[in-house]
Amino acid sequence: MRIDAYGAAPPPPGMYDFAAQVRSGSDGFDNVSDSDIAQFHALGFLVLHNAFDAAQVESARAGLQAAILRGGDNISYEAGARDQLPRLSQDKRLDSVRKLMPIIDSDARLRQCAENLLLLDVVGRILGEQPALSQDMALLKPPLIGREKPWHQDMAYFDYPGGTTILGVWIALDETLPENGCMMLIPGSHLEGPVLHFQRRDWQICDTDVPVGRSVAVPLSPGGCLLFHCLLQHGTPPSRSRRRRWALQFHYHGVSVEALPDSAHRLQVFGADGKDASC
């Protein structure tokens, strides 16, 4: 049974301020305008409400549950559940999982989300070319024990040439709120370039280097979707709620982009601590 590599050490006080919250956004993929695309490039993110309807959300949730209950070496459990896992029923383990990666081969319903044509059209408009999937996962915060994902940039995990745009797509399958670990962002931080990362509570930006005074929380309803740039500084606080928080996350790059043969460039830019880092 794979246990999350990082413990559940709490973040220092003040790392997550929920006073500023992003409630606005486009309504679904069909209504994404050119000005929305321009906003993405300026702020590093775009919020889409009602991107997936209730039936699609329920289908994805059922697919994810089936993938968890089947088991497999793509599943990581929360370190906070380590002592309980041997005694938990299979169903109870649903609220002990932190991550599944990869997922699209685990269940056809999850692949359908990643290959949604309306989603891919918007992603292609942002990238400026046809998108290709580079990473697929499900990120879960079990009630009360879901750990923090400290502030980081996703490009710190990817072996692509400098200047490559990788687009993250984060899809809420549950209501995501500050108390159960909604996304936190630093608007515009993607324009400030790569930031050195360190192995601390995770592979992360040093706490003192995060401009937390500029942060915003992004609560989402089920079916809401957050699109964000690979250099946008973001993180999620630990769950202090009895409410589950399940989300899917996909990353896309342009079809013309080729991965680098090794991690040498990434480690030079983001720091040598990241040699074996995983999201």
Side-chain angles (χ1 to χ4, degrees):
M1 205 173 285
R2 181 179 297 177
I3 306 296
D4 181 53
Y6 300 101
M15 291 308 298
Y16 301 99
D17 183 347
F18 309 122
Q21 299 189 11
V22 177
R23 297 286 184 174
S24 60
S26 183
D27 186 29
F29 296 119
D30 288 333
N31 292 315
V32 174
S33 65
D34 290 344
S35 62
D36 290 326
I37 302 297
Q39 174 187 297
F40 173 91
H41 290 298
L43 298 180
F45 70 94
L46 177 63
V47 176
L48 302 179
H49 301 294
N50 305 307
F52 293 84
D53 63 29
Q56 291 172 312
V57 169
E58 185 54 38
S59 176
R61 191 183 287 124
L64 183 52
Q65 177 171 311
I68 294 172
L69 295 180
R70 276 196 300 271
D73 60 6
N74 65 329
I75 301 175
S76 296
Y77 292 88
E78 283 281 3
R82 182 195 305 269
D83 296 336
Q84 304 171 19
L85 284 173
R87 301 187 299 275
L88 293 179
S89 67
Q90 196 173 41
D91 285 349
K92 292 288 187 181
R93 286 184 182 175
L94 291 172
D95 285 330
S96 300
V97 174
R98 177 186 176 264
K99 178 180 69 176
L100 290 83
M101 184 177 74
I103 59 171
I104 62 171
D105 291 331
S106 298
D107 194 281
R109 290 165 289 193
L110 302 176
R111 179 179 289 275
Q112 288 173 357
C113 293
E115 296 178 350
N116 182 286
L117 294 179
L118 294 176
L119 166 62
L120 294 180
D121 178 69
V122 173
V123 171
R125 288 169 62 190
I126 291 174
L127 293 176
E129 62 175 317
Q130 182 181 343
L133 185 67
S134 58
Q135 189 183 67
D136 55 293
M137 66 179 73
L139 297 171
L140 287 58
K141 286 218 193 266
L144 299 178
I145 62 169
R147 76 166 176 88
E148 170 203 26
K149 179 66 178 180
W151 292 95
H152 65 284
Q153 297 170 304
D154 282 354
M155 198 62 176
Y157 294 95
F158 302 147
D159 294 320
Y160 288 94
T164 299
T165 296
I166 308 290
L167 179 63
V169 177
W170 198 91
I171 303 164
L173 300 184
D174 296 306
E175 186 173 18
T176 70
L177 303 164
E179 54 264 33
N180 71 348
C182 71
M183 271 283 208
M184 301 287 299
L185 314 174
I186 307 292
S189 57
H190 66 303
L191 300 175
E192 298 163 14
V195 179
L196 198 61
H197 286 52
F198 302 89
Q199 288 282 12
R200 295 294 185 266
R201 298 184 307 284
D202 200 318
W203 172 233
Q204 64 178 93
I205 299 171
C206 184
D207 294 325
T208 56
D209 291 339
V210 181
V212 292
R214 294 162 47 196
S215 68
V216 297
V218 187
L220 289 173
S221 297
C225 181
L226 174 68
L227 281 63
F228 61 101
H229 192 281
C230 59
L231 287 177
L232 189 73
Q233 297 179 36
H234 64 287
T236 58
S239 176
R240 294 294 177 258
S241 169
R242 296 187 181 276
R243 303 175 68 170
R244 175 187 291 171
R245 195 227 71 185
W246 284 9
L248 305 181
Q249 182 167 282
F250 305 112
H251 284 96
Y252 301 88
H253 59 74
V255 292
S256 67
V257 175
E258 295 186 8
L260 296 172
D262 55 45
S263 60
H265 173 76
R266 176 173 62 86
L267 299 181
Q268 183 179 28
V269 173
F270 290 98
D273 283 359
K275 183 176 185 299
D276 299 312
S278 175
C279 287

